[in-house]
Amino acid sequence: MRKLINNPDNLAVELIDGFCLTNKSKVKRIAPHVCARVDAPIKGKVGIVIGGGAGHEPLFLEFIGKGMADASVHGQVFTAPTPDKVLDAIKAADSGEGVIMIYNNYAGDVMNFDMGQDFARLEGHKVETVLINDEISAFPVDQAEERRGTTADHLVIHVAGAAAEAGMGFDDLKALIERAVFNCRSLGVSTSECTLPETGLKTFELPEGRMEFGMGIHGEAGIEQVDLMTADATAERLCDAIIADLPFQSGDDIIALVNGYGATTRMEMFIVMRHMHKYLESKGMSIHETELGEFCTAQEMAGVSVTLMRLDDELKEYYDMPADSPGYVKA
């Protein structure tokens, strides 16, 4: 796999350089691995900090802006940011109303973000964390707190950012974000591998003509490898597993999302969405909104993930509010 890079050690810094230059009217550079919306910190508003390893663009880097996050912090590809960088992001987002950090539930991220949070508290900042753990394959329901985060991220970030923008207080906002996370479920299927730009090596092996359900966005092993299925059969299998996990039921108002992992054509995503939409409606669910695109990628991995988010009145209110970030816009 050939990639247009320079020194592999500078990947994250150069990625952020290009991002900030492309969006200089919307974002500002805080430190080599940290950027924030141009007006952060915003007086009277709880700050939202997001972040994780690079390599999943537009997640997390491109989800800062109005109705989204205030600051984002990044490590190298698939590598958690260091605690000092997390502290820089907290400082960039804190207007005095406190900061809530939202990131995916991976061991390295939890360790480093927790340390950054501890440093911030020692300096007098009010900081709490909400972990995203929407991916259902790695652990059963009774161990949901161990699950990893994947493609529900931007939905949760938007609900959090919109509510913070509307002036919601710290404790109520944290409870809302936790409810948003609980109401999201995701499952994906991979049809080809991804490679690490630093080494050019594949993160896993997938034989020709096979697909793997539950593959993680860093190449973590999935739950089953099968012969390549049709788009319709794949959509049904993903939806059935997700529906049973929450459980979703007839009458639920939901967001239905199809995410491409980086090398999936929009043609494929639309075909999956076509059947998924009909399949969910046949089960009596009301699709409040459909989202399709690349929201959380894994370099050039091919495949799709499906995310369903069950809405209550409050979640719907904030989801329907505007978002204006480089990677996600909602009118």
Side-chain angles (χ1 to χ4, degrees), residues 265-277:
T265 64
R266 289 179 67 81
M267 175 189 75
E268 294 166 90
M269 287 188 272
F270 279 123
I271 292 170
V272 169
M273 179 61 81
R274 164 191 170 272
H275 189 68
M276 178 176 137
H277 213 277

Side-chain angles (χ1 to χ4, degrees), residues 107-307:
D109 291 283
V110 171
M111 179 177 69
N112 287 1
F113 274 87
D114 276 356
M115 290 177 64
Q117 178 175 265
D118 290 342
F119 294 157
R121 287 172 175 167
L122 288 172
E123 294 189 12
H125 297 275
K126 180 179 182 179
V127 190
E128 294 290 344
T129 291
V130 178
L131 294 174
I132 298 179
N133 59 344
D134 57 300
E135 204 276 338
I136 68 173
S137 71
F139 290 91
V141 174
D142 61 358
Q143 298 178 57
E145 70 281 355
E146 301 295 332
R147 289 175 168 177
R148 55 204 179 199
T150 55
T151 52
D153 294 70
H154 78 280
L155 300 178
V156 174
I157 293 165
H158 173 47
V159 167
E165 206 86 43
M168 184 175 285
F170 190 94
D171 293 337
D172 288 342
L173 180 58
K174 184 171 184 283
L176 177 73
I177 300 168
E178 290 170 342
R179 195 163 79 250
V181 171
F182 176 79
N183 277 276
C184 291
R185 297 290 190 278
S186 301
L187 181 62
V189 62
S190 304
T191 56
S192 77
E193 307 93 337
C194 66
T195 56
L196 293 173
E198 296 95 333
T199 64
L201 298 176
K202 296 178 181 178
T203 60
F204 61 97
E205 294 288 340
L206 192 57
E208 188 69 28
R210 302 281 281 178
M211 62 198 302
E212 187 158 351
F213 285 89
M215 177 65 67
I217 56 175
H218 308 105
E220 299 93 340
I223 52 176
E224 187 179 10
Q225 202 177 101
V226 301
D227 289 337
L228 191 65
M229 297 165 56
T230 66
D232 287 1
T234 300
E236 288 191 16
R237 178 159 181 177
L238 292 170
C239 286
D240 283 342
I242 292 170
I243 289 167
D245 194 87
L246 188 49
F248 292 85
Q249 55 190 323
S250 178
D252 280 346
D253 204 6
I254 64 171
I255 297 165
L257 181 149
V258 171
N259 171 76
Y261 279 138
T264 309
T265 64
R266 289 179 67 81
M267 175 189 75
E268 294 166 90
M269 287 188 272
F270 279 123
I271 292 170
V272 169
M273 179 61 81
R274 164 191 170 272
H275 189 68
M276 178 176 137
H277 213 277
K278 292 193 294 186
Y279 191 65
L280 294 171
E281 287 184 336
S282 75
K283 293 185 174 295
M285 295 183 198
S286 173
I287 300 176
H288 177 70
E289 193 154 329
T290 298
E291 293 198 7
L292 181 147
E294 290 183 341
F295 304 103
C296 173
T297 62
Q299 292 292 284
E300 73 289 349
M301 187 162 81
V304 298
S305 64
V306 165
T307 298

